[in-house]
Amino acid sequence: SQTIHQWPATLVQPVGSPLSLECTVEGTSNPNLYWYRQAAGRGLQLLFYSVGIGQISSEVPQNLSASRPQDRQFILSSKKLLLSDSGFYLCAWSAALVNEQFFGPGTRLTVL
Amino acid sequence: AQRVTQPEKLLSVFKGAPVELKCNYSYSGSPELFWYVQYSRQRLQLLLRHISRESIKGFTADLNKGETSFHLKKPFAQEEDSAMYYCALSGRRGSTLGRLYFGRGTQLTVWP
């Protein structure tokens, strides 16, 4: 069966520090991968999605970037964190051409 | 452009009362609609999708194309229904296929 992992589960970082959040999927090949940010009262905002290795689409301009170095690995990064980057980050995957998405446990990021 | 609106941020009902979580959408085409649910300390997960036309945990949702709505209903709410509910939309082709657009979510609380 397919599983999706995210780490770390929680992270506290100072303003200006770098960020790297990792997401991996098991049990499937060629998944579509997604990064969302969940902010209180603002719902789920799609940040990036990827349909294949090295293929990244950005939904909104921001301080973050994403990379997909391997088929089942999706990384969310920042060179210098801002206070506004605080939030709950969710990774998700879906089979190609299928609309149902499966979500990871999330990472709670606090920028101080 | 696609948009999903959930007008109620918070909704409270008593156990045994009917509950309706509202969702309206805008999309220039034939969308696929979903309801996702996030229980406390659990992952975001799919509750139901309109093409399945099924009842999950007593919940149903009918797609009303005339009113562009996809309201979630349950005739008798239970305490275990307390959770955050997200309505989501996906296109059936082109650049919106496989991508989910979420509403801001409705936090449902069912009182004993």
Side-chain angles (χ1 to χ4, degrees):
Chain A
S1 63
Q2 302 90 359
T3 55
I4 178 168
H5 305 280
Q6 286 184 246
W7 63 88
T10 60
L11 189 60
V12 180
Q13 292 283 95
V15 170
S17 64
L19 172 74
S20 181
L21 303 182
E22 190 164 342
C23 171
T24 58
V25 181
E26 297 177 356
T28 186
S29 298
N30 303 315
N32 290 342
L33 296 172
Y34 309 86
W35 277 113
Y36 291 89
R37 177 164 52 207
Q38 187 179 28
R42 298 178 63 182
L44 281 162
Q45 181 185 36
L46 178 63
L47 303 176
F48 301 96
Y49 71 97
S50 171
V51 299
I53 296 175
Q55 300 180 61
I56 308 294
S57 295
S58 174
E59 282 293 293
V60 294
Q62 58 202 311
N63 184 43
L64 301 169
S65 62
S67 62
R68 185 170 177 174
Q70 300 180 44
D71 180 46
R72 289 169 287 180
Q73 184 185 30
F74 204 23
I75 297 173
L76 185 68
S77 304
S78 174
K79 292 182 179 179
K80 289 186 177 181
L81 283 169
L82 306 172
L83 286 174
S84 57
D85 291 325
S86 294
F88 192 61
Y89 290 84
L90 285 169
C91 183
W93 75 272
S94 69
L97 304 181
V98 174
N99 284 332
E100 182 175 355
Q101 292 184 18
F102 301 89
F103 287 82
T107 295
R108 173 75 60 191
L109 172 66
T110 303
V111 182
L112 302 175
Chain B
Q2 50 281 335
R3 182 187 299 174
V4 178
T5 303
Q6 293 180 250
E8 302 139 331
K9 187 176 179 179
L10 302 170
L11 183 62
S12 295
V13 300
F14 285 104
K15 177 182 175 181
V19 62
E20 180 179 68
L21 292 87
K22 291 184 170 53
C23 173
N24 290 90
Y25 67 90
S26 62
Y27 182 70
S28 57
S30 183
E32 189 169 355
L33 274 296
F34 305 82
W35 277 99
Y36 277 78
V37 61
Q38 190 170 28
Y39 301 103
S40 179
R41 301 181 186 277
Q42 294 188 28
R43 300 186 185 197
L44 187 64
Q45 58 188 286
L46 178 67
L47 179 63
L48 55 78
R49 56 200 305 175
H50 90 271
I51 61 173
S52 298
R53 296 181 176 274
E54 56 188 347
S55 174
I56 304 294
K57 298 184 178 182
F59 284 97
T60 58
D62 293 319
L63 179 61
N64 186 322
K65 293 185 178 181
E67 296 181 357
T68 60
S69 68
F70 188 56
H71 304 325
L72 184 67
K73 302 177 183 179
K74 186 170 183 177
F76 307 103
Q78 303 299 314
E79 291 179 67
E80 56 266 29
D81 296 328
S82 296
M84 177 68 86
Y85 291 81
Y86 291 96
C87 183
L89 172 155
S90 182
R92 294 176 184 264
R93 56 186 174 187
S95 62
T96 58
L97 177 64
R99 290 166 55 182
L100 286 174
Y101 299 89
F102 285 87
R104 293 192 173 191
T106 297
Q107 178 67 49
L108 173 66
T109 302
V110 181
W111 301 105

